[in-house]
Each structure stands twice: as structure tokens, then as C-alpha cells.
Amino acid sequence: MLTRNKKAVLQWEGKNELIDFLLSRRHNLIVNYYKIAGLPPFSQDKRTLPTSFAIEEFCNTLVDYISMGHFEIYDALIARYEMNGKLCPEELQLIMLQISETTSILLYFTDKYSELSDLLLNELDSDLAILMGSLDQRFELENKLIAALFEQVTQTA
């Protein structure tokens, strides 16, 4: 995830402040994910379970990221696209629908881990694997959204 995000940063950084903001927040989310999952560069020789504070911090970061995307970034990017006299094509509508589907999975994780118990910690690794897949899918969809909108805006400029 970090490598793919770095590629997105190299491709899009500095071209639009909304995109820069999204990519910065995405990086923070990925770092927090790696910390609670115990993945490099944050892993230790001996894997220990993350603290309840670390899980709560990650869940808060995840909810902030989801909210920012849906209520600030996506609409603003699409509005810029529409300002150039273009209607939102079916491809963008499909991407937004797929992003919304990932939102359900991500919010399920935050709901499940908002009240941490020892029983839940036994499921954390498998839930983190599912979460990683959903985050990866969401980031890829966001990259498609950015690419489609940016390409259209630069064609009309």
C-alpha cells in the first residue's frame, strides 16, 4: 500500500490541492494501519498486540478519512469536472458506487473495534487483512477517480 501510494503522490502531487490533501491523509492512514498491523517499518522482532489506544486512534483516522472523501474531496473534484461543462459520466458514477461499497466494510471495522475486548483481539489479524483489501481497493478507485477527472479537466483547459 505504501509503495502504491508513493506512486500516486509522484503522479499527482502539486497538480491540485484537493488531491494533495487526499494523498497526505491517505499516507497518514496507511502509516497508522501499518502500526496496528505490526507491518514494516513499524514491526518489531516480537509481534505484540496493538494497544487499545492505537486501535482507537486508527479507527478515528479511518473515519476521518472516509468522511473527508465523501463530504469534501469527491464532491469538490466532481464539481470542478462539471464546471468545465461536462456531466459526470457513467464511469465516474460506477467508481463512486464502488467507493461507497468499500465504505461499508471500513465502517464495519470501526464499529466493531470501537468497544475493544479480548475476544475481539483474537479476530484482529483476520479483520485487518480484510480491511487491507478494502483499503487497497478504495485507494485504487480513488486513483481512477482522480485520473478520470484530472484528464478531463486538462483536456478542456
Side-chain angles (χ1 to χ4, degrees), residues 59-75:
C59 287
N60 290 336
T61 303
L62 182 57
V63 169
D64 289 346
Y65 185 83
I66 292 166
S67 299
M68 176 216 45
H70 283 288
F71 300 116
E72 296 176 43
I73 303 296
Y74 308 147
D75 289 343

Side-chain angles (χ1 to χ4, degrees), residues 62-63 66 102-112 131:
L62 182 57
V63 169
I66 292 166
T102 67
T103 298
S104 299
I105 296 167
L106 303 178
L107 288 177
Y108 174 78
F109 180 90
T110 63
D111 289 345
K112 182 174 182 177
L131 185 71

